[in-house]
């Protein structure tokens, strides 16, 4: 990761991303878990950013441990701040009382005890003493690993942190999407900043870069620049890297459906397991058709909402 996700960008990240339908992404994740009959007790979220999905993971009632990891300490601090604010204001958090020890939060209500840890680490090289039943990552964060060795190393760390019947679920921008992003520039006007956004695509390198120049509406603060780089990979490459890392079974979906993902799908969801039979165990054509139809309708409704 180059010069990106610095302190000020972490402050305005949620405002810049305010139209991202995280709730809908969470519904899809929930359906993937239901499809595979998975009720995780522990989850690790890689590249968790400012915790937009992490806070939704709390809704998974089977969980008693959530660990959120991100390379940017600015993003992870913002994530912890957001949780703390929600807990203090008792916002959507089922009357949890809590205690805190630096970046660990111990939540408790009548039904549950839940520990949430935030950690600033590189997802290309991490280790946890206790394994997780579920490892997730969202919003093309793995495309930020622009070197194939980084991706391999990330998958190896994930494999050694996952329980045998656990699931590793992540999304990626497909190769087709990265290659066909339209080069353009526009301005996002926030209440406290202006953000000049420029998309640059290097088709040969399968690389998409976003140059951001952010100017706070405060004459005392200077403008600053960030560069975000994402690389597109062929599905076959991802499958090979997962296999080399020890994953024995992988399903690839066209995002927000249960149809097979292709290199020209927009966004892909991968579900991987260390156990060869784990993904087959609970599959059934009818169940798949049901979840596919349900999520396609959901997708249509969410898209219409954004059109009008
Ligand atoms: C597009 S944001 C997505 C954040 C979050 N998943 C969300 O859905 O809002 C990409 C995130 O990846 C993180 N990131 C990039 N490279 C990373 C790395 N090597 N290790 C851990 N996090 C990384 C960035 O700091 C940033 O928070």
């Amino acid at each position: 990761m180059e010069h990106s996700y610095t302190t000020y960008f972490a402050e305005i990240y949620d405002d810049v991303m305010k139209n991202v339908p995280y709730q809908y992404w969470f519904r899809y994740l929930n359906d993937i878990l239901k499809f595979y009959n998975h009720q995780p007790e522990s989850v690790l979220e890689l590249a968790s950013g400012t915790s937009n999905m992490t806070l939704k993971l709390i809704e998974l009632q089977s969980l008693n441990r959530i660990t959120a990891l991100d390379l940017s300490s600015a993003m992870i601090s913002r994530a912890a701040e957001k949780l703390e604010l929600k807990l203090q204001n008792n916002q959507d958090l089922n009357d949890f009382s809590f205690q805190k020890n630096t970046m660990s939060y111990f939540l408790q209500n009548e039904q549950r005890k839940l520990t949430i840890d935030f950690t600033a680490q590189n997802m290309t090289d991490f280790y946890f003493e206790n394994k997780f039943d579920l490892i997730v990552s969202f919003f093309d964060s793995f495309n930020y690993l622009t070197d194939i060795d980084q991706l391999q190393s990330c998958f190896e760390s994930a494999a050694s942190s996952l329980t045998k019947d656990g699931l590793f679920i992540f999304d990626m921008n497909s190769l087709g999407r990265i290659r066909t992003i339209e080069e353009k520039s526009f301005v996002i006007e926030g209440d406290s900043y202006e953000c000049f956004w420029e998309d640059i695509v290097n088709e040969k390198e399968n690389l998409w870069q976003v140059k951001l120049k952010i100017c706070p509406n405060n004459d005392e603060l200077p403008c600053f620049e960030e560069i975000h780089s994402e690389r597109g990979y062929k599905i076959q490459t991802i499958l090979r890297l997962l296999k080399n890392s020890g994953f024995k079974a992988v399903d690839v979906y066209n995002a927000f459906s249960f149809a097979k993902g292709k290199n020209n799908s927009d966004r892909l969801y991968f579900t991987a397991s260390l156990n060869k039979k784990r993904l087959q165990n609970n599959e059934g054509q009818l169940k798949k058709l049901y979840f596919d139809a349900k999520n396609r309708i959901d997708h249509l409704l969410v898209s219409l909402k954004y059109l009008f």
Side-chain angles (χ1 to χ4, degrees):
M1 192 169 60
E2 285 144 10
H3 186 58
S4 57
Y5 296 101
T6 53
T7 308
Y8 191 71
F9 189 61
E11 270 174 44
I12 64 167
Y13 179 84
D14 287 351
D15 195 62
V16 175
M17 301 301 168
K18 63 176 176 261
N19 288 328
V20 176
Y22 287 105
Q23 184 59 38
Y24 159 57
W25 291 4
F26 176 70
R27 285 203 294 275
Y28 179 58
L29 171 74
N30 211 354
D31 277 352
I32 296 180
L33 296 176
K34 282 186 189 154
F35 179 62
Y36 292 109
N37 282 336
H38 198 46
Q39 291 175 336
E41 292 186 5
S42 54
V43 60
L44 168 65
E45 186 187 357
L46 300 174
S48 54
T50 57
S51 76
N52 290 329
M53 285 300 274
T54 324
L55 297 178
K56 306 222 173 293
L57 292 172
I58 297 174
E59 292 174 35
L60 297 176
Q61 297 298 320
S62 56
L63 288 177
N64 57 41
R65 180 164 62 112
I66 299 178
T67 300
L69 173 157
D70 199 281
L71 181 60
S72 159
S73 44
M75 294 292 270
I76 213 79
S77 301
R78 182 81 193 102
E81 255 172 49
K82 277 168 61 179
L83 171 68
E84 196 162 329
L85 215 69
K86 269 186 179 279
L87 286 165
Q88 279 163 353
N89 298 335
N90 206 355
Q91 255 179 306
D92 326 320
L93 283 180
N94 312 77
D95 293 322
F96 275 116
S97 60
F98 78 102
Q99 289 187 323
K100 172 190 166 186
N101 181 1
T102 56
M103 295 293 262
S104 295
Y105 292 78
F106 307 99
L107 280 59
Q108 185 163 8
N109 66 13
E110 277 177 16
Q111 293 81 39
R112 270 170 98 186
K113 281 186 180 172
L114 176 66
T115 301
I116 306 181
D117 296 307
F118 294 95
T119 174
Q121 286 190 53
N122 197 330
M123 63 182 168
T124 61
D125 184 18
F126 60 88
Y127 169 78
F128 292 94
E129 219 162 280
N130 296 313
K131 296 191 184 222
F132 297 88
D133 301 325
L134 176 65
I135 300 182
V136 291
S137 186
F138 306 98
F139 210 174
D140 17 295
S141 300
F142 285 177
N143 294 94
Y144 276 75
L145 303 179
T146 53
D147 178 325
I148 202 160
D149 294 337
Q150 295 175 326
L151 206 49
Q152 173 81 68
S153 163
C154 172
F155 291 167
E156 283 168 8
S157 295
S160 57
S161 301
L162 191 67
T163 53
K164 182 159 178 273
D165 283 327
L167 297 180
F168 179 32
I169 302 174
F170 57 92
D171 72 10
M172 284 186 92
N173 269 327
S174 73
L175 181 63
R177 169 156 160 75
I178 295 276
R179 279 190 182 158
T180 55
I181 283 172
E182 205 185 308
E183 289 203 335
K184 59 190 174 313
S185 311
F186 55 94
V187 184
I188 300 172
E189 304 252 9
D191 285 343
S192 61
Y193 65 90
E194 274 185 333
C195 174
F196 300 88
W197 180 300
E198 187 183 358
D199 288 307
I200 303 161
V201 178
N202 181 337
E203 249 183 79
K204 236 166 127 195
E205 298 286 328
N206 302 322
L207 204 65
W208 167 39
Q209 289 193 305
V210 179
K211 272 196 188 173
L212 300 177
K213 182 173 179 190
I214 298 153
C215 296
N217 293 343
N218 174 345
D219 292 343
E220 282 168 27
L221 296 175
C223 295
F224 64 96
E225 294 188 11
E226 295 218 351
I227 298 183
H228 295 231
S229 302
E230 292 195 18
R231 189 178 297 281
Y233 294 94
K234 278 190 180 157
I235 291 175
Q236 276 313 319
T237 308
I238 302 295
L239 294 180
R240 176 169 52 80
L241 298 180
L242 285 167
K243 194 172 164 213
N244 290 347
S245 310
F247 289 96
K248 297 278 194 313
V250 185
D251 283 339
V252 189
Y253 296 121
N254 185 359
F256 317 121
S257 79
F258 282 70
K260 195 171 176 196
K262 302 200 174 123
N263 283 314
N264 63 359
S265 304
D266 211 30
R267 184 180 292 278
L268 296 164
Y269 265 76
F270 293 82
T271 301
S273 168
L274 299 167
N275 174 352
K276 200 172 169 191
K277 300 225 166 107
R278 173 66 183 88
L279 301 185
Q280 302 161 7
N281 280 349
N282 307 296
E283 282 191 18
Q285 260 328 96
L286 265 181
K287 197 173 171 188
K288 196 173 216 168
L289 280 175
Y290 164 76
F291 281 118
D292 191 45
K294 177 172 178 281
N295 282 278
R296 279 171 194 264
I297 293 168
D298 206 4
H299 187 216
L300 185 72
L301 294 176
V302 173
S303 310
L304 286 175
K305 196 173 146 198
Y306 281 93
L307 270 182
F308 299 107

